[in-house]
Amino acid sequence: MASHNDTVVVLFGATAGANGVKLGSDERELILLVWQIVDLQNKKVGKLHKCLVKPDSLELTEQCKEDTGLNLDDISKAEPLDDVLQQFHQSVSSELKLLGRSSFTLCTDGPLLIRQVFHPEASNKNLVLPDCFYSFVDLRKELHKCCPNSGSAQDHTLSSMAEYLNIPTENTETSAGVWEVKTMAAIVLRLLSEPHNHKFTDFETVKCKFETGACRKSEAVDSETVIRARGLPWQSSDQDIARFFKGLNIAKGGVALCLNAQGRRNGEALVRFVSPEHRDLALERHKHHMGSRYIEVYKATGEEFLKIAGGTSNEVAQFLSKENQVIIRMRGLPFTATAEEVLSFLGPDCPVTDDKEGLLFVKYPDGRPTGDAFVLFACEEYAQNAIKKHREILGKRYIELFRSTAAEVQQVLNRYMSTPLISTLPPPMLPVIPQPFIMTGPARDCVRLRGLPYTATIEDILEFMAEFTVDIKPHGVHMVLNQQGRPSGDAFIQMKSAERSFLVAQKCHKKMMKDRYVEVFQCSGEEMSFVLMGGTLNRSGLSPPPCKLPCNCSVFISLLLQASPPGYAFQTAAAVIPEAALYQPQALLASPRTPQHPAPTAPPAITYYSTHAHAQAQAQAQAQAQLYMNMSMNMNYTAYYPSPPVSPTTVGYFAGPHGSMVAAQASPSAMLPQPGALVRMQGLPYNTGVKEILSFFQGYQLHPDSVLVLYNFSGQCSGEALVTFPNVDTAKQAVAERSERTLAGRYINLFVV
């Protein structure tokens, strides 16, 4: 019986958008299919077939109309893709039967039609492609293999290949796709003939299923094969990501979901492909959609992938050695939970692979349980049964269950095994200058300035603050320096109230200082103090200062407070703040206040000692400093340090006449949003502005000042906004009418705060 090596079907396709080298890059649907059978054994061609395809969206770009000569009337009368695929398969099968053949291989001009059009579109439409679409002949690569001197396969075009083989390239066809198919068939026949005598044996393949697996940190990963996908739904699994990149071959275990500081998915993933060619094709899917969300795709490095997906634990390697298993993550387990209790909780409907061997409890370095565990299931059915137990009770706690990946197992284990038992404080590498104690608390009465020019002075900051200078607390300006004592571009300012810090963040955000715009964010004293002590504020929340010193937390903090060199104030580490706490509606809907004149600014505090007390203080300070330095020998830090704090009174600066500052202070309610009802928007595209939000609520006659776009700690749009409505009834009506509607392709969730 003849094999599929004896017959190829030359295939051409066009979409409703970009074609040629950008085919498939804009997610446009297939509208044209042209094909012809080539008998490799007898070196003959069959009948040429052409079929139009009706897309779900009846839109054609002007470039498409020009390239194909088609219009909306033509494609509106065509059949949908699933019917055209059946027609294609029946037509090819009938011709093969006349030739006494039963199988064939597709042949295309490059990989784009198969990898970037057919597979993504079929995946989006939940269509099952015939087996013939999982292997194909790339005519450009075949020419390069047969004639290495013809040039790079990526640089070939149909015309250049035809010219190289002395095939006429004049296009006299009036119907789109016909010249392309005839030329490809001619190239195939020329390669079969003397002097080339080429054999079509090596085919391009498309993986039909993503293979899970473990990755070790010692493994070599080519940076030219890795991308970062951003904007993923938080519940996405590795299979969902593989489906987004359908048509491209992902390496085994090549999907690594990224976690934030709290161990939750942050909407990003690193994906490793089998070759740079597939990585480059993946980059062409930048801003393609997964459901209603568009996904950003960027280049990444092998080091980044290994940092997330690589592991060194033999226990994890053994756990993940069982291939083709579905992994479920359990979170919130009682610390006393045993393997037997977990198996009993899951029940007989979802048996765990190898019983207890299919359970992996996540623990801290000292052996204490974290409340997390990973479970292996042999098939999708068992995993789905387990997911149904999401938020059911075990002991006295409800348990969360999520789909997981091998890379997430590695990442969670790596995170917990490297977690310090306590958070410690950085030793100052600069000469310690006495400064007042920094009062901390949950009130968001501070602001963070980011992106300052490195030459910025205190005077520049006060000039930048303009009329708000009068609201700065005495000694309330803290410029942040790096370890070398140079400005880091950040500063923290303590304001007299949360309302004033809120107004500063609104009025001064992205205002210019010299030749740079400066970002201004409202924050709390706890967050400010946390950064000044070496922690970091990022889009995931608070990250504690690094530490490698195992000891009792409360005792160690007490020692630090006693051992601090004079004038260097330490605070206990702030707890991680939940996301919901970042936004305080009270600051937006403040009641009008009674006008008050500003109190006179107090002079810098000075402490006086008697001669005896001064000697005692000096001796105690020396002993404490020595103890502090001894303890710091065991620490490993990367941190920022505060410069000496200052205030307008210490530099003698005022932003304007005193009367103007009194006026600004006397009527703060005029600058604050008026009382009403707040609606919180979630799921906004990251480039959303006030104009887009006002258009979303068209008909409600909102003022631009009633819209507040929220930013995270790193200064990026958080995807959320607060909108002030005149009353609760109007707010509820807006939520009922506009919730779940789309804005720039994303579903928006609305809540009355």
Side-chain angles (χ1 to χ4, degrees), residues 553-603:
C553 180
S554 60
V555 174
F556 183 67
I557 290 174
S558 176
L559 284 172
L560 276 177
L561 290 172
Q562 297 173 27
S564 304
Y568 195 80
F570 290 97
Q571 319 299 320
T572 55
V576 174
I577 300 176
E579 182 182 1
L582 298 180
Y583 315 112
Q584 298 190 8
Q586 293 84 353
L588 298 173
L589 298 175
S591 302
R593 299 185 302 170
T594 304
Q596 296 178 351
H597 293 284
T601 304

Side-chain angles (χ1 to χ4, degrees), residues 172-193:
T172 58
E173 302 292 341
T174 57
S175 184
V178 174
W179 176 83
E180 287 83 354
V181 168
K182 288 184 175 180
T183 303
M184 283 192 282
I187 292 173
V188 170
L189 294 177
R190 184 63 57 89
L191 290 177
L192 292 172
S193 306

